[in-house]
């Protein structure tokens, strides 16, 4: 279990929710370093560019923040079993934090999941099922078996842990712009909420949301059909 100073739980007041700090699961997620990228900045014609190294999180992605938070929420609500569908990163993080907290987890992944991510997932003592229709199988698991849904794209509290990214950026300096990769939008929304809570309007950087593929959840309304 975590402690009041473990990982992202240093941002407890900003995260909100009803999880007591001493009940927060932590593997040391959050507080990731900022790394300057001068050559990439030069190629893009920028004065300076810094990377927030979420890939150095305990499970290899920013999903460590999400699953530390959501698994802690499930435990606080009395759940003992959960299910997640994922292309890899979310399932890896969910399995790590579910194992830490004593939750039973079913991870549903696509056959297109990269082999390295499957290998990382299989190192956790949790059930993994490969399916051509992982989301449909997840809906069945929730309805028929009563498993809690751990997907960040649907959980109303999913943006909360990403407010911690905003806190870490705000503490590191003043930024003109922040670019964030997004799929369902939970990370972008949480980052926006955190910047709004922490910084006066004149000090907030412009937030640019970059979607990974055209026609995804965020931009789909702008595409024909």
């Amino acid at each position: 279990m975590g402690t009041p100073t473990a990982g992202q739980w240093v941002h407890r007041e900003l995260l909100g929710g009803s999880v007591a700090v001493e009940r927060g699961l932590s593997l040391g997620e959050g507080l990731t370093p900022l790394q300057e990228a001068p050559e990439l900045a030069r190629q893009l014609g920028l004065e300076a560019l810094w990377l927030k190294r979420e890939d150095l999180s305990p499970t290899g992605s920013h999903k460590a923040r999400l699953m530390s938070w959501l698994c802690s929420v499930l435990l606080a609500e009395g759940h003992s079993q959960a299910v997640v569908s994922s292309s890899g990163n979310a399932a890896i993080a969910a399995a790590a934090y579910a194992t830490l907290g004593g939750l039973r987890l079913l991870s549903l992944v696509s056959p297109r999941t990269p082999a390295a991510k499957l290998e990382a997932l299989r190192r956790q003592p949790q059930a993994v099922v490969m399916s051509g229709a992982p989301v449909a199988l997840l809906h069945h698991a929730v309805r028929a078996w009563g498993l809690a849904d751990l997907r960040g794209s649907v959980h109303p509290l999913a943006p909360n842990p990403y407010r911690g990214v905003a806190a870490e950026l705000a503490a590191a300096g003043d930024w003109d712009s922040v670019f964030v990769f997004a799929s369902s939008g939970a990370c972008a929304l949480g980052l926006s909420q955190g910047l709004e809570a922490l910084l006066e309007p004149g000090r907030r950087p412009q937030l640019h949301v970059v979607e990974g593929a055209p026609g995804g959840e965020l931009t789909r309304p702008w595409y024909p059909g």
Side-chain angles (χ1 to χ4, degrees):
M1 286 292 183
T3 67
T5 58
Q8 68 177 344
W9 298 94
V10 298
H11 308 304
R12 174 64 187 83
E13 295 304 317
L14 187 63
L15 301 187
S18 57
V19 179
V21 175
E22 61 272 13
R23 300 290 296 171
L25 299 172
S26 181
L27 291 170
E29 66 296 322
L31 307 176
T32 51
L34 277 161
Q35 177 181 324
E36 192 169 13
E39 178 58 26
L40 184 56
R42 186 191 64 78
Q43 293 176 19
L44 296 173
L46 300 175
E47 182 178 328
L49 178 67
W50 293 77
L51 306 177
K52 186 78 164 116
R53 295 293 306 274
E54 290 294 293
D55 58 307
L56 298 179
S57 291
T59 64
S61 78
H62 69 290
K63 296 298 177 69
R65 296 180 190 256
L66 174 66
M67 292 306 171
S68 162
W69 172 252
L70 289 187
C71 287
S72 298
V73 169
L74 290 190
L75 287 171
E77 293 175 346
H79 294 281
S80 60
Q81 301 182 95
V83 60
V84 67
S85 61
S86 165
S87 61
N89 287 338
I92 293 168
Y97 286 96
T99 300
L100 181 64
L103 289 165
R104 294 181 63 190
L105 177 72
L106 171 62
S107 294
L108 306 173
V109 297
S110 163
R112 297 187 297 274
T113 302
K117 293 185 179 181
L118 284 175
E119 181 59 30
L121 186 56
R122 287 169 175 154
R123 286 198 290 267
Q124 296 291 340
Q126 300 285 356
V128 181
V129 171
M130 189 175 291
S131 169
V135 176
L137 187 54
L138 177 141
H139 289 315
H140 176 77
V142 171
R143 290 194 305 266
W145 305 333
L147 274 62
D149 191 342
L150 261 183
R151 288 177 298 162
S153 59
V154 300
H155 200 290
L157 295 179
N160 294 36
Y162 297 116
R163 298 172 188 171
V165 181
E168 292 163 28
L169 289 175
D174 293 323
W175 310 98
D176 294 325
S177 299
V178 173
F179 288 80
V180 58
F181 175 89
S183 51
S184 67
C187 180
L189 181 57
L191 183 53
S192 177
Q193 291 170 346
L195 292 173
E196 184 176 1
L198 292 166
L199 299 176
E200 296 297 322
R203 288 193 58 214
R204 292 175 201 157
Q206 294 185 24
L207 181 60
H208 304 272
V209 181
V210 182
E211 190 165 55
E217 291 187 50
L218 300 183
T219 58
R220 190 176 298 132
W222 284 271
Y223 283 78

